[in-house]
Amino acid sequence: MPPKPPRKGGAAAKGQRASPDRGTGGTPPPAAARLEFGETDFVALCDTLRVSDIVRANAWKTYEKVSSADGTLVGYSEKKKDMWGICIFIAAVDLDEMTFTFTELLKSIGMSVCTCFRLLREMDVNMDTISTKVDSNVSRLNKKYDVLSALYHKFERTSAELSFPLVLKTSWITFLLAKGKVLQMEDDLVISFQLLLCVLDYFIKLSPPAMLKEPYKSHVSAMSINGSTRAPRRGQNRSTRTSKQTETDTKVIEVLCKEYGCNLDEVKNVYFTSFIPFLNSVGIVTSNGLPEVEDLSRQYEELYLKNKDIDARLFLDNDETLQQRRAAAPLQVPPQAPAWVAAMNTIQQLMMILNSASDKPSDNLISYFNNCTVNPKENILARVENLGNIFKEKFAEAVGQGCAEIGSQRYKLGVRLYYRLMESMLKSEEERLSVHNFSKLLNNNIFHTSLLACAVEVVMATYGSKLNTETDLSFPWILNVLDLKAFDFYKVIESFIKAEPSLTREMIKHLERCEHRIMESLAWQSDSSLFDLIKQSKEREGQVDQPEPTCTLNFPLQHNHTAADLYLSPVRSPKKKGSTASLNPTPIIDAQPVLAPQTQKPQKSTSLSLFYKKVYRLAYLRLNTLCLRLLFDHPELEHLIWTLFQHTLQNEYELMKDRHLDQIMMCSMYGICKVKNVDLRFKIIVTAYKELTNTNQETFKRVLIREGQYDSIIVFYNLVFMQKLKTNILQYASNRPPTLSPIPHIPRSPYKFSNSPLRVPAGNNIYISPLKSPYKFSEGMLSPTKMTPRSRILVSIGESFGTSEKFQKINQMVGSSDRQLKRSAEVSTAPKPLKRLRFDIEGQDEADGSKHLPGESKFQQKLAEMSNLG
């Protein structure tokens, strides 16, 4: 039991102090109105942060649970105040009772933001006490801190031109206020940085030339001589006055854009559509001297207290709460890191590809339209315009009303890419089928919406790639905006990548990840057309009761299908039992309808067949990775687990509705281990699962049990999965187990990447470049071989190694082993089990520990063998 404080709150009053935040007021409630429990200093901290009784009660429970676990959070057990502060934060977020800002919390316990994030992560890993709600809140704060930190260091670099401290302070606070008022989604780094350039331009032009360095000094001097900075005329409209001045005084912003590789037109658009309205809204008049910093600070304080997050003014003071992360911590965007430059280059590459493209269909596309039985031109143009209006509105809602025109710009780039891709696809189909009439495909609304959505997604991802974190505009945001089902969007991805050879490796990987997310969960949402297709497939008279025969699993996946095959399917005739799969070219030309005889069976859906083949391969790849981590000493179980996993996807597909592929995988693994008397607990499974790439703790913390009810993975297993598959699972313990499903053929990714170096696992920053011809700059792309990482050592295997044929063999080995490389690298460390899981059920799944054998890099073995080739 915790010690009780004095009944009348004397200790609390003694330990209480004013809020460390600037301008943060408020007094704690009377002592008599509060619960009296916990240590004296804990009560004092609660008083300082003005938390309610229920928050302090929940915080103390969390602290007791954390402190009672052996070996938990080593190094923090002696720092009670740190732990109390974190527990108060967790309780306040969970209960929606934030009575303090994040900065105020940090100052109350004397902790830096980086230490706080690290401690929260450790608590989540070791205790699993962090709810998805808290995790989401911390993720938002983390992204905001990363953006602010990167922007401030960029600001520091440029503001060396503004030598007066008052100008520095005023310009940074002006930027923070503009960012808060203009942007609703403050983690958009591109728009934030463009806005920062606008602020710097504004204050550089207000500064006396003597204060500035070249080239800014010359430009500002020229403006003064030409009279651009003289006081405005009386009675002149402020907005008109500002616009007239800035339309001609663009030299400074041009220099800034050139220095940082930003698109000048985009920054100008931000200046005129967002920054000038902001200046007018806060009462700042151009050419009237420096704004009052106290007034700006007061307005920013209102925003900061409302958001209850980070006081970014403290960057100016080099405040300890905002100190940079250590080298070992995962800062996504170091201010001067090559990642920033590479991201800017990615945007520039996209602009180079699309600047010469048209917002309208080309003459070649018009020719294709005219060859159609039903000309699709008017519908295509109307659809593009209508979806553009919707996109602009939704973008402004997500980012900020002042950014509507920025949304229009990005959509316009997407439209250019859409027409470019459409023409490329039609040319390929024309060569493949020797036809010119594509009426059915070009009059298919879902095809056009999907292709346009994919093009816009590439643009959005290019602009949002700097922090490598998800934002409010991240996929699947575009699907919701354009009212497009994930299963329909999936159909265009592979054809899109094939049709655009200039896509960067980063964008190809992004689209592949979108495809995986669709196969994992998005396509399995209850309103998905996928379930209708599966039902139709099962209702086909005389056909095998499955979406895709298992006999085709170990065949290589064919990639000769096109978007037309998928959007106009079903196109495949039923095949005889036991025959192999074959894809027929899709008839995408118009023809007279032919009535099928009554005895003809319905055709099978190409899109469904291909989807299931890809799902099976993704599912097995995930399972194989997890088995290598957890069942290294029981390799015979992998095939059994896969058979149960595949059986569930094929015959009990309703279990996937509104759920995740990995949930079925983990349950299949647990069920087989249970009947085979192998001690593998859910605690160990989810611990290893969290270490895999592209996973989310919500996958095992929040699983659909029944309509509107969610619980943990173990509750789902006991109440749903096991009840549905109990008979099947028990068969694996009998003398006549089920027939094993074939292991899927796992090829390398079908998407070809540029010549980016491949990293050798556990190779201490060793990279091997595939033997391919580099892109030419004239083709609109920078040569990847010229964009080598600064901090990497690129090793060339010496001349004595052998002939060019051996290098070809090495490249072939590297290419075919790409998947195994990533997998084998992950085997090297056994997972540390969670100390306690919130979802444990009394009397079940309580044992900890499992046998783990570290794996060895097969790639390094192969490389050693290659060196001995004669």
Side-chain angles (χ1 to χ4, degrees):
M1 291 292 294
K4 295 183 179 180
R7 286 192 173 274
K8 303 207 171 176
K14 182 179 179 181
Q16 185 179 336
R17 63 178 182 271
S19 168
D21 259 339
R22 307 178 184 189
T24 303
T27 56
R34 300 192 305 269
L35 291 177
E36 296 182 351
F37 64 91
E39 296 186 16
T40 303
D41 290 341
F42 173 78
V43 175
L45 181 60
C46 289
D47 289 347
T48 299
L49 298 175
R50 306 171 302 283
V51 299
S52 66
D53 290 343
I54 188 171
V55 168
R56 65 179 68 199
N58 281 20
W60 185 259
K61 288 179 183 178
T62 301
Y63 169 71
E64 285 184 320
K65 184 165 64 173
V66 170
S67 58
S68 64
D70 294 333
T72 300
L73 301 173
V74 176
Y76 289 99
S77 58
E78 300 300 322
K79 301 179 181 178
K80 291 183 178 180
K81 195 171 184 179
D82 291 355
M83 297 302 303
W84 290 337
I86 298 294
C87 293
I88 291 171
F89 173 77
I90 292 171
V93 172
D94 272 330
L95 295 169
D96 286 322
E97 290 195 19
M98 288 290 293
T99 55
F100 50 88
T101 69
F102 188 59
T103 294
E104 186 177 359
L105 169 72
L106 297 177
K107 283 193 166 290
S108 296
I109 59 179
M111 181 182 289
S112 73
V113 62
C114 301
T115 302
C116 182
F117 290 150
R118 183 168 62 250
L119 181 54
L120 280 161
R121 285 195 299 271
E122 291 175 6
M123 288 180 66
D124 188 34
V125 170
N126 292 327
M127 294 297 301
D128 206 39
T129 56
I130 308 297
S131 68
T132 54
K133 185 176 181 179
V134 174
D135 185 68
S136 175
N137 187 283
V138 172
S139 177
R140 180 186 65 83
L141 286 169
N142 203 334
K143 285 187 287 187
K144 185 165 186 176
Y145 169 76
D146 282 345
V147 169
L148 287 169
S149 180
L151 290 170
Y152 183 72
H153 282 81
K154 288 293 180 183
F155 169 79
E156 274 190 317
R157 174 184 165 187
T158 305
S159 61
E161 316 301 332
L162 308 172
S163 56
F164 285 2
L166 179 61
V167 178
L168 289 174
K169 183 175 182 179
T170 307
S171 56
W172 177 246
I173 295 177
T174 299
F175 165 68
L176 295 178
L177 183 59
K179 184 173 179 288
K181 285 186 172 291
V182 171
L183 302 181
Q184 291 173 210
M185 193 186 71
E186 294 189 65
D187 55 2
D188 190 307
L189 186 59
V190 175
I191 300 179
S192 296
F193 186 61
Q194 291 171 343
L195 192 60
L196 177 59
L197 294 185
C198 295
V199 173
L200 290 171
D201 170 83
Y202 175 79
F203 280 96
I204 287 174
K205 288 191 293 190
L206 281 183
S207 303
M211 288 176 53
L212 303 172
K213 300 177 183 178
E214 295 293 353
Y216 304 106
K217 181 176 181 179
S218 299
H219 294 314
V220 174
S221 297
M223 289 166 52
S224 300
I225 293 172
N226 294 332
S228 299
T229 59
R230 64 174 178 263
R233 299 176 184 175
R234 288 186 178 180
Q236 189 176 18
N237 178 272
R238 180 189 299 161
S239 179
T240 303
R241 181 174 67 232
T242 309
S243 298
K244 285 183 178 180
Q245 289 175 333
T246 50
E247 283 171 1
T248 56
D249 304 337
T250 60
K251 292 297 183 180
V252 172
I253 202 73
E254 288 174 8
V255 173
L256 289 169
C257 288
K258 183 177 181 180
E259 182 177 353
Y260 290 103
C262 291
N263 183 274
L264 178 60
D265 291 335
E266 290 186 359
V267 177
K268 283 183 177 180
N269 183 64
V270 172
Y271 203 112
F272 292 113
T273 64
S274 300
F275 185 59
I276 290 178
F278 157 74
L279 293 178
N280 295 330
S281 68
V282 296
I284 298 176
V285 181
T286 303
S287 304
N288 279 5
L290 286 178
E292 290 292 335
V293 66
E294 290 78 11
D295 182 56
L296 294 173
S297 186
R298 179 188 54 77
Q299 293 187 60
Y300 171 74
E301 176 116 9
E302 293 175 0
L303 282 176
Y304 154 64
L305 294 177
K306 178 182 178 182
N307 294 329
K308 296 184 176 7
D309 51 19
I310 298 170
D311 186 351
R313 293 170 297 184
L314 298 180
F315 278 109
L316 292 166
D317 304 328
N318 195 26
D319 191 89
E320 60 179 8
T321 62
L322 298 178
Q323 65 183 2
Q324 277 293 323
R325 303 171 189 265
R326 297 182 179 90
L331 176 61
Q332 297 290 348
V333 184
Q336 283 81 32
W340 178 286
V341 178
M344 285 297 183
N345 285 340
T346 302
I347 295 176
Q348 290 298 326
Q349 290 171 27
L350 180 69
M351 298 300 296
M352 282 193 296
I353 295 171
L354 299 180
N355 272 343
S356 59
S358 173
D359 304 337
K360 303 294 181 183
S362 66
D363 292 340
N364 286 337
L365 273 180
I366 296 296
S367 178
Y368 282 120
F369 297 164
N370 292 336
N371 288 333
C372 292
T373 305
V374 178
N375 194 313
K377 178 182 176 182
E378 296 304 319
N379 284 338
I380 289 174
L381 295 177
R383 184 186 298 108
V384 168
E385 182 180 2
N386 179 52
L387 294 180
N389 293 332
I390 295 173
F391 180 89
K392 180 179 179 180
E393 178 185 346
K394 296 296 183 181
F395 185 91
E397 288 178 4
V399 182
Q401 292 301 321
C403 299
E405 289 306 314
I406 299 174
S408 292
Q409 280 189 329
R410 295 189 185 176
Y411 181 79
K412 185 180 293 185
L413 290 175
V415 170
R416 292 178 180 180
L417 188 58
Y418 160 70
Y419 285 133
R420 175 186 169 101
L421 266 294
M422 190 193 309
E423 182 174 340
S424 177
M425 287 181 178
L426 293 176
K427 284 180 180 178
S428 297
E429 286 292 271
E430 186 177 31
E431 294 172 359
R432 184 172 76 104
L433 301 175
S434 299
V435 296
H436 308 285
N437 185 349
F438 299 101
S439 189
K440 286 186 178 179
L441 179 65
L442 292 179
N443 282 284
N444 187 297
N445 176 64
I446 295 178
F447 162 71
H448 283 290
T449 306
S450 301
L451 182 60
L452 179 58
C454 198
V456 175
E457 174 61 27
V458 166
V459 173
M460 297 295 288
T462 299
Y463 277 90
S465 62
K466 290 183 177 60
L467 280 180
N468 196 30
T469 56
E470 292 190 359
T471 68
D472 293 341
L473 301 182
S474 298
F475 185 81
W477 179 81
I478 190 65
L479 302 185
N480 300 325
V481 170
L482 302 187
D483 193 23
L484 182 66
K485 300 301 181 187
F487 182 69
D488 293 323
F489 180 83
Y490 136 84
K491 298 175 187 177
V492 84
I493 293 176
E494 188 171 329
S495 295
F496 188 100
I497 294 174
K498 291 176 182 176
E500 183 47 79
S502 296
L503 283 180
T504 63
R505 179 186 179 96
E506 184 182 40
M507 284 303 104
I508 294 175
K509 295 294 286 184
H510 172 75
L511 289 177
E512 189 174 26
R513 177 59 192 146
C514 292
E515 185 181 62
H516 287 178
R517 287 190 63 184
I518 292 171
M519 293 189 288
E520 292 165 2
S521 61
L522 297 178
W524 301 98
Q525 293 174 350
S526 54
D527 60 348
S528 173
S529 57
L530 173 63
F531 292 101
D532 292 333
L533 275 178
I534 297 176
K535 189 174 296 183
Q536 292 168 13
S537 173
K538 287 182 171 291
E539 290 173 351
R540 291 183 304 123
E541 182 183 354
Q543 296 299 296
V544 179
D545 187 27
Q546 55 189 24
E548 181 62 27
T550 56
C551 63
T552 67
L553 279 178
N554 51 6
F555 295 160
L557 185 61
Q558 301 298 316
H559 296 282
N560 57 353
H561 47 269
T562 66
D565 294 325
L566 303 184
Y567 284 98
L568 301 180
S569 71
V571 299
R572 194 169 67 184
S573 300
K575 57 182 180 296
K576 294 182 181 180
K577 189 175 182 179
S579 65
T580 60
S582 62
L583 289 174
N584 297 324
T586 305
I588 56 178
I589 58 175
D590 268 6
Q592 294 296 321
V594 178
L595 294 177
Q598 292 293 322
T599 56
Q600 183 174 341
K601 297 172 184 177
Q603 293 179 314
K604 188 169 183 177
S605 167
T606 299
S607 60
L608 178 62
S609 174
L610 180 64
F611 178 79
Y612 253 88
K613 285 178 179 178
K614 286 191 171 186
V615 167
Y616 284 153
R617 282 157 176 79
L618 177 64
Y620 177 73
L621 189 60
R622 290 284 187 83
L623 175 63
N624 181 258
T625 304
L626 203 57
C627 285
L628 283 173
R629 286 175 173 266
L630 297 176
L631 297 173
F632 195 77
D633 49 349
H634 293 284
E636 73 283 357
L637 294 185
E638 181 185 292
H639 209 158
L640 301 180
I641 298 168
W642 165 244
T643 301
L644 175 60
F645 193 6
Q646 187 272 329
H647 166 84
T648 307
L649 295 174
Q650 172 185 303
N651 299 294
E652 305 295 345
Y653 60 89
E654 289 287 338
L655 285 177
M656 278 294 298
K657 187 171 289 188
D658 293 324
R659 297 190 179 99
H660 196 287
L661 186 69
D662 292 347
Q663 294 165 353
I664 306 300
M665 173 186 69
M666 288 186 278
C667 287
S668 299
M669 176 175 280
Y670 181 83
I672 292 298
C673 289
K674 195 77 171 177
V675 298
K676 288 298 183 179
N677 296 316
V678 174
D679 186 18
L680 182 66
R681 304 304 179 96
F682 264 116
K683 292 180 180 181
I684 304 296
I685 293 174
V686 299
T687 304
Y689 174 75
K690 289 175 69 172
E691 296 174 0
L692 302 182
T693 58
N694 297 318
T695 58
N696 190 315
Q697 63 172 329
E698 190 166 333
T699 304
F700 59 83
K701 282 186 176 182
R702 190 174 185 270
V703 189
L704 178 67
I705 306 301
R706 56 181 63 90
E707 186 175 358
Q709 180 186 349
Y710 294 83
D711 214 310
S712 68
I713 185 76
I714 195 170
V715 175
F716 167 71
Y717 176 86
N718 288 329
L719 300 184
V720 182
F721 186 86
M722 200 255 295
Q723 301 301 323
K724 191 77 172 178
L725 291 159
K726 184 176 182 179
T727 302
N728 184 275
I729 293 173
L730 291 176
Q731 290 178 5
Y732 292 88
S734 67
N735 296 326
R736 301 182 63 182
T739 303
L740 297 180
S741 299
I743 298 295
H745 175 80
I746 305 294
R748 195 183 174 200
S749 170
Y751 309 124
K752 296 180 180 179
F753 302 115
S754 60
N755 290 9
S756 300
L758 299 177
R759 184 178 184 273
V760 179
N764 294 325
N765 293 335
I766 298 176
Y767 285 73
I768 295 180
S769 295
L771 188 62
K772 295 180 183 178
S773 299
Y775 288 115
K776 297 178 181 178
F777 186 85
S778 59
E779 295 172 342
M781 298 291 287
L782 296 175
S783 169
T785 56
K786 297 178 182 178
M787 299 172 64
T788 55
R790 296 181 183 176
S791 59
R792 306 295 189 230
I793 301 176
L794 300 182
V795 177
S796 173
I797 301 176
E799 288 78 8
S800 62
F801 187 80
T803 63
S804 60
E805 287 77 11
K806 293 180 181 179
F807 283 97
Q808 292 283 5
K809 290 181 180 180
I810 291 175
N811 284 300
Q812 183 180 4
M813 178 266 292
V814 171
S816 63
S817 303
D818 188 46
R819 175 180 58 85
Q820 289 91 338
L821 301 185
K822 297 175 182 177
R823 212 170 58 206
S824 61
E826 293 174 337
V827 180
S828 58
T829 57
K832 180 183 178 182
L834 302 180
K835 299 298 182 184
R836 180 183 300 163
L837 293 182
R838 177 167 43 209
F839 52 66
D840 280 347
I841 295 178
E842 186 69 26
Q844 297 182 359
D845 196 29
E846 301 229 333
D848 283 324
S850 181
K851 296 180 180 178
H852 306 95
L853 294 177
E856 188 176 4
S857 172
K858 296 181 181 179
F859 172 75
Q860 291 176 315
Q861 295 175 3
K862 287 187 177 184
L863 193 58
E865 293 170 3
M866 293 296 296
S867 65
N868 295 323
L869 291 176

